[in-house]
Amino acid sequence: SNLTGTFENNGRLAFKMYYYGSERGLPGAAIYYMDYSGERLKDRNAFAQVRYEQPLNEKIDFMAHAKVNFSTIDYTDVQNFYPGGEKESHYEQREYYLNTTVLYQLSRHLSFSWANDGIAGNFRSNLPNNVFPSRIAWLSALSGQYEAAIFTLTAKLLYTAIDDRAKIGNAPADYSHFSPYLSFSVHPLKNIPLRLRGFYKNSFRMPTFGDLYYSIRPTLNLKPENAHQYNAGLTFAASGNRLFSLISFSGDLYRYRIENKIVAIPKSSLFSQSIQNYGKVETTGVDMSLKIHLQTGKRLLWKINGTYTYQKVLDKTDPNTGIYNQQIPYTPCHTASGYIRLETPWINFNYTLLYSGKRYYERVNRREFQMNAFTEQGIALTKNMRRKNVSYILKAECANLFNVPYEVVRSYPMPGRSFRFGINLNY
C-alpha cells in the first residue's frame, strides 16, 4: 500500500507498507537412483518506510527517509539420515534505516549534495552457532556535479564505517573505508546524438549476515570486497524517422580489479553454498546494447532489443598455483539476450532469447569441469482490453519453447518447456 501527499509549504510525503510471502520446494541434484527432494523454503519479508522532501529555499532541498525491515527464512529438509528424519533451519533478520540528504543548487550548472545513512541490524537463527550478531553501519557521501549542455562532470566521496558485534563469541573485525567516484559525460557533436562517457569507481562491500552465518560454521574470516572499476563507453540515440521511430546503441569497455572478491559456490544444496574470498580477481569486459523501434504502417510497431557481454574474469591471487589466470567458476565469457515485440491493435507478440556460453564449475579450467553453452527461447501473447473503468491485460507464455535441456548450476537441470497464464486487472 502506498500513500502520497503534498503540503502547502511544497513538502512531499510518501509512505509505503509492503509484505511478501512465498513457500516453495527446492529442486534436488540429479543423482543416480535418487528421485526425491525434501527441501522446502519459506520466505517472509515485511517493511514500512516513509520519505519526506522539503525545499527550504530556492537553492536548498532537504529529504529524510526512514525504514524498518523484517524478514524470515525457514528451510526444511526431510531425509532419513537426519535425527528425527528432518532438518529445520530458521533465520530472522531485522534492520532499521535512517537517511537524510541535503541538496544545494549553487547555480544553474553546479550543485552539491551531502547524504548520511545510519543502519542498525541484527540476526538470529536456531543453528548451534547462533552468536546473536548485530551491525551498525554509517555511510556519509559528499557529491558535486557540474552539468552543461555538452558536458557533465560528477565527483563523489563515500565514507563507510562498520561496527560488528556478537553477544556470544567473536565478531568480525570493524572496518572503515573511503570510496571515491569520478565520472564524465560529453556530447561532442552538436548535430549528432552521440555521447561519450567514462568513470572510475571504488566499491567497498561488507559480507552480509547471510554470507557469515547461514552455514553451520560461521565464516568469520571473510574479508570485505574492495573493487576498483574503470569504464569508458558511448551512447547513440536518434528518433523521429517515419520508419525508424527509435534507434539507440550503447557500448562500454571496462576493467575491474577486485581484492577479496566474495564468491558463493553451490555445494550439496541450492540453499547451502560455500562462501569464500578470492584474493585478487581481474575482469576485462565489453557490453553492447542495440534497440530499434520500427513502425510498419500506422498500426504495427516492432520493438527489437539485443544485448551482448564479453567477460574475462580471471583469478590473479597466486602465480604459483594451478588456478592462477583461470576463469572463475560459473562465469561464461560470452552471454547475450534479446527480444522482438510486435504491437498491434489486436494482440501483442513477444519472442525472447537468452544465450550463455561455456563455463567451468571448478576453479581449474579443465575440460572435465566444463559446462555446455545453452540457449533458451520463449514466446508470449498479451491482449489489452478495457471496459468502462476497468482495464485488463491477459497473458499466455511458453518458456523454453524448444524444450532444451541445460544447467545453470551443475547437476541441477533447469525446467523444460513450461506454460504460464496470467491476468492483470486495474480499476
Side-chain angles (χ1 to χ4, degrees):
S1 63
N2 295 276
L3 175 67
T4 59
T6 57
F7 301 93
E8 293 182 356
N9 61 357
N10 295 321
R12 297 182 296 274
L13 179 71
F15 178 76
K16 182 182 186 73
M17 294 185 66
Y18 172 91
Y19 173 79
Y20 171 80
S22 73
E23 180 179 352
R24 59 194 182 277
L26 295 180
I31 303 173
Y32 280 117
Y33 310 115
M34 174 69 74
D35 61 357
Y36 170 76
S37 175
E39 295 178 281
R40 297 200 67 83
L41 199 64
K42 294 181 182 179
D43 294 287
R44 301 289 184 270
N45 178 228
F47 71 78
Q49 66 181 24
V50 61
R51 184 181 74 251
Y52 182 75
E53 301 177 32
Q54 176 67 59
L56 301 181
N57 55 43
E58 293 183 355
K59 292 188 174 183
I60 301 177
D61 285 348
F62 172 80
M63 183 186 76
H65 179 201
K67 180 178 180 179
V68 178
N69 185 77
F70 176 75
S71 62
T72 64
I73 293 178
D74 289 294
Y75 167 78
T76 58
D77 188 12
V78 180
Q79 302 285 356
N80 57 15
F81 49 77
Y82 293 123
E86 182 177 287
K87 174 186 177 182
E88 183 174 358
S89 302
H90 176 77
Y91 308 90
E92 182 179 303
Q93 184 173 343
R94 289 184 174 89
E95 189 175 65
Y96 308 90
Y97 170 87
L98 179 64
N99 161 269
T100 58
T101 304
V102 177
L103 172 65
Y104 177 53
Q105 192 76 36
L106 181 62
S107 67
R108 187 166 60 92
H109 300 293
L110 185 61
S111 61
F112 297 92
S113 69
W114 184 32
N116 292 278
D117 295 25
I119 306 168
N122 56 62
F123 179 82
R124 304 287 185 271
S125 75
N126 67 340
L127 300 183
N129 67 0
N130 182 27
V131 297
F132 298 94
S134 61
R135 172 178 293 175
I136 297 177
W138 177 262
L139 297 91
S140 184
L142 183 63
S143 307
Q145 183 177 80
Y146 178 83
E147 186 173 9
I150 64 171
F151 185 77
T152 301
L153 180 66
T154 304
K156 300 179 183 180
L157 183 63
L158 170 66
Y159 173 71
T160 303
I162 305 293
D163 179 15
D164 276 349
R165 302 180 182 182
K167 290 185 178 180
I168 302 173
N170 298 321
D174 297 338
Y175 286 92
S176 61
H177 186 82
F178 285 95
S179 302
Y181 171 86
L182 182 65
S183 73
F184 75 92
S185 174
V186 60
H187 183 196
L189 304 172
K190 183 177 181 180
N191 297 322
I192 298 178
L194 175 69
R195 185 170 287 271
L196 306 178
R197 63 189 179 199
F199 72 80
Y200 163 76
K201 181 180 182 180
N202 175 246
S203 301
F204 181 78
R205 184 172 83 85
M206 284 291 293
T208 66
F209 286 137
D211 295 334
L212 295 169
Y213 298 107
Y214 268 32
S215 62
I216 296 295
R217 296 180 180 178
T219 50
L220 300 182
N221 59 341
L222 276 179
K223 298 178 181 178
E225 186 176 289
N226 189 18
H228 301 271
Q229 307 174 41
Y230 307 86
N231 189 100
L234 60 86
T235 60
F236 174 88
S239 60
N241 186 286
R242 288 185 178 181
L243 180 61
F244 295 97
S245 57
L246 173 66
I247 299 178
S248 71
F249 172 82
S250 67
D252 288 275
L253 174 66
Y254 53 87
R255 186 173 180 85
Y256 297 169
R257 292 189 296 108
I258 307 174
E259 302 168 3
N260 302 316
K261 182 175 176 63
I262 300 172
V263 179
I265 303 296
K267 296 193 301 182
S268 58
S269 165
L270 290 178
F271 182 75
S272 175
Q273 301 192 11
S274 172
I275 312 295
Q276 53 191 283
N277 284 123
Y278 286 7
K280 294 181 181 179
V281 174
E282 288 190 2
T283 299
T284 303
V286 176
D287 284 347
M288 292 186 290
S289 175
L290 176 67
K291 182 183 293 185
I292 297 174
H293 289 182
L294 185 65
Q295 190 80 45
T296 55
K298 295 182 179 181
R299 312 185 76 180
L300 299 178
L301 175 63
W302 295 83
K303 293 183 177 180
I304 304 169
N305 185 75
T307 62
Y308 168 77
T309 296
Y310 169 81
Q311 277 192 340
K312 292 291 286 186
V313 187
L314 304 179
D315 192 329
K316 297 283 189 177
T317 303
D318 187 352
N320 299 316
T321 63
I323 60 176
Y324 183 76
N325 229 27
Q326 303 282 288
Q327 186 87 349
I328 68 172
Y330 291 105
T331 307
C333 289
H334 305 275
T335 56
S337 64
Y339 71 82
I340 299 175
R341 177 179 174 87
L342 174 60
E343 296 183 356
T344 76
W346 314 281
I347 199 167
N348 299 325
F349 171 81
N350 281 42
Y351 165 79
T352 58
L353 178 145
L354 173 66
Y355 170 80
S356 178
K358 297 178 180 179
R359 60 240 186 267
Y360 299 90
Y361 61 85
E362 293 287 354
R363 298 180 72 172
V364 179
N365 297 171
R366 291 206 295 261
R367 189 168 184 175
E368 59 265 35
F369 302 139
Q370 182 176 279
M371 300 179 65
N372 294 330
F374 66 85
T375 301
E376 183 185 349
Q377 302 172 70
I379 58 173
L381 297 174
T382 58
K383 172 68 174 177
N384 299 331
M385 298 185 299
R386 185 175 186 86
R387 293 185 178 180
K388 296 183 179 180
N389 295 327
V390 182
S391 62
Y392 307 85
I393 301 177
L394 304 177
K395 184 175 182 179
E397 179 181 359
C398 177
N400 199 353
L401 177 64
F402 297 104
N403 205 33
V404 176
Y406 70 95
E407 295 173 330
V408 176
V409 177
R410 178 178 175 260
S411 298
Y412 288 88
M414 295 297 290
R417 184 186 298 112
S418 60
F419 301 90
R420 181 166 57 187
F421 303 91
I423 180 171
N424 182 293
L425 184 147
N426 288 304
Y427 175 75

